[in-house]
Amino acid sequence: MPKEDSIGSQGNGTEMPPVTVTAVNRTQIARPDQTLELSAGDLTVLGEKDLTKIHVRDEDGRELLCQAVDADGDYTPDRLIFQADFAAGQTRTFQVAEGAKRVYAKDQFRAYGRFVRERFDDFCWENDRIAHRMYGKALETYVREMLVTSTVDIWSKRTTRMVINDWYMVDNYHGDTGEGGDFYSAGLSRGCGGNGLWAAGRLWVSRNHVNSRVLANGPIRVMFELTYDPFEVSGVMVSEVKRISLDAGQNMNHFRSIYKPEKPTPLIAGIGLKKVAGERWDADKDRGWLAKWEPMEMNAGEQGLAVIVDPKLHEKQTEDERNLIMLARVPTDNTASYWAGCCWNRGGQFTDFGAWKTYVDQFAEGLLSPIEVSVSPR
């Protein structure tokens, strides 16, 4: 972390006054690990365009971990994010100032992801709670394990440290050596929140991704895009780019599918959770969530999965042979936005279905009432 005297100085002896950020939790629930986001425009008063040199302190003067994020994909950071905990109904203030360029240590990373060419073009990502992977083009022709699917796989973690690189290196992640492992077979299902488009009474899905790029890679947020070849949706060809992000301290990923149909047509998104024997599920259409609890393979315990959509776009819940499915209208910009995630009862956060449902419901409440952030000069 930068030294205290590196903050608020331009390096020429001129002290620039910080700006004050006020953040309000309007809900009556505690909200830990909330990501607060500031735009480059919010920070122009500081006179520093390089967001990697912007620092944040809380009410007690403690410097907080920050990350510059390229939200529009032009390879220049345009957002600054940091995290804070909020009690029910709490208002907090933070001081933001320019300083030395941030340099992170490995143990500060709570979110990370990468393209894994050595494992048939997987894309794998994680935070300090969960991990996932999705499959690339090379797996479609792998002679020993050919798999054609845009499903979302689960890796179960019981450590807060980043494990992707180590697990791929030893190539023994189907057994639990104390940190968790891969105990989930997503197969041709939608897995944990894989999506498609619903038409003519069925779900139409893309194949494996053909390209990827990382937009943000920790320490707080991992965000990346996966590109898919056009696929048929009831006689209409549709191309797709998925943008997926996951923040530290959370069990839910934000998925956005940007669709381009070859001709104008209303779209209905279908987001699925794989069916398994012995599962239990519940749903709340007013909050827009579907949650389930299920036994895991390999006697690895139990896990929870969930999907959350905008209640205003919610159509209905349905199912097919492999999946429970939540249907939601796609807005006219052809971008489907939803949240999906998981937990493991041995991961240390949620041990039963009731606790998992409470988390999902409160997460959905938070989406309907985001932390209100305002910026003003001191």
Side-chain angles (χ1 to χ4, degrees):
M1 301 293 285
K3 296 180 180 179
E4 184 170 343
D5 60 5
S6 69
I7 300 175
S9 171
Q10 289 188 309
N12 57 8
T14 302
E15 293 292 327
M16 295 295 292
V19 298
T20 299
V21 174
T22 302
V24 184
N25 174 18
R26 299 289 184 190
T27 70
Q28 293 306 304
I29 55 175
R31 298 170 68 174
D33 292 311
Q34 294 298 290
T35 303
L36 307 184
E37 189 167 314
L38 304 174
S39 70
D42 292 329
L43 304 172
T44 53
V45 67
L46 294 175
E48 176 56 72
K49 294 182 179 180
D50 185 354
L51 298 189
T52 67
K53 295 182 179 180
I54 305 300
H55 299 258
V56 180
R57 291 189 182 278
D58 67 11
E59 302 93 334
D60 298 321
R62 293 172 298 195
E63 186 173 354
L64 304 180
L65 190 66
C66 298
Q67 180 184 346
V69 173
D70 171 24
D72 61 9
D74 67 355
Y75 302 101
T76 299
D78 46 54
R79 297 286 187 274
L80 182 76
I81 63 173
F82 61 97
Q83 289 192 321
D85 299 335
F86 289 81
Q90 184 180 19
T91 297
R92 298 193 60 181
T93 59
F94 307 89
Q95 298 299 311
V96 183
E98 59 87 22
K101 185 179 179 69
R102 291 188 304 277
V103 178
Y104 302 115
K106 182 179 179 181
D107 61 5
Q108 291 178 296
F109 278 75
R110 299 175 62 206
Y112 173 70
R114 74 177 181 96
F115 173 64
V116 190
R117 183 178 296 280
E118 68 269 27
R119 226 302 299 195
F120 303 100
D121 297 353
D122 285 354
F123 196 99
C124 199
W125 72 102
E126 65 180 317
N127 68 0
D128 48 353
R129 292 189 168 200
I130 60 175
H132 297 280
R133 65 175 172 176
M134 297 179 74
Y135 303 117
K137 186 73 172 177
L139 196 58
E140 293 186 2
T141 55
Y142 178 40
V143 293
R144 294 185 178 179
E145 190 187 355
M146 184 179 68
L147 186 58
V148 180
T149 180
S150 54
T151 189
V152 180
D153 194 17
I154 295 172
W155 279 9
S156 303
K157 291 179 61 174
R158 55 169 149 200
T159 176
T160 58
R161 79 176 194 90
M162 303 296 98
V163 300
I164 287 173
N165 288 332
D166 290 349
W167 286 13
Y168 274 115
M169 181 177 67
V170 299
D171 194 24
N172 187 32
Y173 44 82
H174 291 288
D176 185 359
T177 59
E179 295 183 323
D182 178 8
F183 314 119
Y184 189 69
S185 298
L188 297 178
S189 77
R190 293 291 80 200
C192 181
N195 64 327
L197 291 170
W198 186 266
R202 55 161 285 199
L203 192 62
W204 305 75
V205 300
S206 55
R207 296 170 67 94
N208 304 30
H209 63 261
V210 297
N211 198 12
S212 66
R213 67 166 178 160
V214 176
L215 300 174
N217 212 359
I220 297 170
R221 173 178 294 170
V222 55
M223 181 167 65
F224 58 96
E225 290 182 341
L226 302 177
T227 301
Y228 295 83
D229 282 337
F231 64 102
E232 182 189 356
V233 180
S234 189
V236 177
M237 299 303 293
V238 180
S239 63
E240 178 187 12
V241 175
K242 291 189 201 299
R243 178 177 286 199
I244 303 169
S245 62
L246 176 64
D247 286 358
Q250 304 298 332
N251 288 70
M252 303 297 289
N253 304 269
H254 189 191
F255 290 79
R256 280 164 287 185
S257 281
I258 300 96
Y259 294 112
K260 289 186 178 180
E262 63 180 351
K263 63 181 181 180
T265 184
L267 301 177
I268 300 291
I271 307 102
L273 301 175
K274 178 188 173 183
K275 290 180 178 178
V276 303
E279 67 186 15
R280 292 177 287 155
W281 63 267
D282 199 358
D284 187 329
K285 66 178 183 180
D286 294 328
R287 298 274 207 194
W289 59 257
L290 167 65
K292 69 196 297 280
W293 192 259
E294 63 189 33
M296 297 171 65
E297 300 173 39
M298 306 181 194
N299 296 316
E302 298 176 309
Q303 66 182 4
L305 291 80
V307 169
I308 305 174
V309 302
D310 183 344
K312 295 179 181 178
L313 300 175
H314 178 271
E315 281 281 288
K316 67 175 182 178
Q317 181 187 333
T318 187
E319 58 185 275
D320 61 15
E321 180 183 359
R322 296 187 176 96
N323 310 283
L324 301 176
I325 300 172
M326 181 82 82
L327 299 182
R329 297 184 303 279
V330 179
T332 55
D333 65 358
N334 288 329
T335 299
S337 175
Y338 65 94
W339 298 78
C342 60
C343 73
W344 184 28
N345 73 330
R346 299 176 184 174
Q349 290 90 39
F350 311 98
T351 58
D352 58 40
F353 192 20
W356 176 236
K357 284 196 294 183
T358 296
Y359 173 82
V360 173
D361 188 67
Q362 291 184 349
F363 194 97
E365 181 179 355
L367 294 177
L368 297 173
S369 181
I371 301 292
E372 296 179 8
V373 177
S374 60
V375 181
S376 59
R378 192 173 191 179

